[in-house]
Every structure is written in C-alpha cells, then in structure tokens.
Amino acid sequence: MSLDKVLYQATATATGGRDGRAVTRDGMVDLRLTTPKELGGFGGDGVNPEQLFACGYSACFLGAMKFVAMRDKLAMPSNSQVTGTVGIGPIATGFGLEVALTIYVPNMPLEQAQLLVERAHQVCPYSNATRQNIDVRLHVITDQALLSI
C-alpha cells in the first residue's frame, strides 16, 4: 500500500535497543526504554515498544471512530474509550505480535457501536498496517452489553 499524499510525518530515533532511549526529532517525546522481566530484562521505570504500540493503536483507533462518526453522522459518546493490549511471543521465524482492542462506547445500542467499530477498523491506519499481518481482536462493550453479562 502506498500513500497518495503524505499529510504528516513523525521521526524518532532509538538508541540502545530495548534498554536505551527513544527521542522524537521535535523533542516532544524522550523516553527511557527498559526490557520487561518477562522478556529477560530487568524491568524498571522505562517503557517498552509494546506499551508504545498499545498507546498508539488505541489513540489512533479512537480517532478513526471519531472520523467515522462525523462522516456517517453518528452520535458517538465523547467518553468512549479504547484499551489496547499488545502481546509479544515466539513464532517460527523469531517473534510476533498480537493485539486486542477493547472498545467501550457508552450509551449507544450495541449494534450501532459494532457498526461504528467495524467501519473504524477499515479506516484506521494502524488497522490497515496490521491487517493480514498480526491477529487483531476487537471487543465492543456498551452499557447494553454490560447489562447482559
């Protein structure tokens, strides 16, 4: 997939790998990186790439939902939330990722929320980048769905 036009670019440099530092060119992000104990590291007070991916995908997906709601004239609750969980583990050729997105859309009928999420999954850049590359599971929760649990 190639872009018709680049609207924005972000540039970051990592040094030291999983136990180093990541800094954006504009200096807005400057993070200490640490390897989680589960991956053989010491843990610590830094962040790791999976946490950053979970944050980025969650924010991007919520943005895609807002875009779709505006485009399709749907009343999306302003207190909607997306929680991303990124897993890492071995595959035959090295390591792979999986993602679970839990999407909470309060005060919206479940069928309408599911339609909104499906449409957002089609336009979200992270969803388009991961499609057919890693497993991405979507779980939609509404107040209506909570009542049936």
Side-chain angles (χ1 to χ4, degrees):
M1 162 181 43
S2 57
L3 301 177
D4 295 332
K5 179 181 177 182
V6 175
L7 299 176
Y8 171 77
Q9 289 182 322
T11 303
T13 300
T15 55
R18 287 183 167 269
D19 290 302
R21 186 156 223 89
V23 181
T24 57
R25 179 176 286 162
D26 62 9
M28 296 300 294
V29 177
D30 185 346
L31 300 169
R32 178 173 179 242
L33 303 172
T34 58
T35 303
K37 290 180 181 180
E38 297 86 349
L39 295 178
F42 295 108
D45 60 356
V47 298
N48 63 65
E50 292 72 37
Q51 291 170 317
L52 297 171
F53 189 51
C55 289
Y57 202 160
S58 297
C60 191
F61 198 88
L62 188 55
M65 289 173 58
K66 289 179 177 184
F67 171 83
V68 167
M70 185 175 65
R71 180 193 70 191
D72 297 351
K73 297 177 179 38
L74 300 171
M76 183 179 130
S78 62
N79 58 339
S80 296
Q81 298 178 8
V82 177
T83 301
T85 302
V86 174
I88 184 172
I91 59 173
T93 57
F95 291 90
L97 298 174
E98 68 175 19
V99 174
L101 297 179
T102 301
I103 301 106
Y104 177 55
V105 190
N107 304 315
M108 182 180 272
L110 182 58
E111 298 78 26
Q112 187 178 2
Q114 288 173 328
L115 181 63
L116 173 63
V117 166
E118 288 169 15
R119 290 177 180 172
H121 194 43
Q122 294 305 307
V123 303
C124 175
Y126 276 64
S127 293
N128 287 328
T130 59
R131 189 169 286 112
Q132 298 177 0
N133 292 311
I134 66 173
D135 289 333
V136 176
R137 293 179 314 278
L138 305 174
H139 181 65
V140 181
I141 300 173
T142 64
D143 294 330
Q144 177 184 353
L146 289 174
L147 293 175
S148 65
I149 294 177

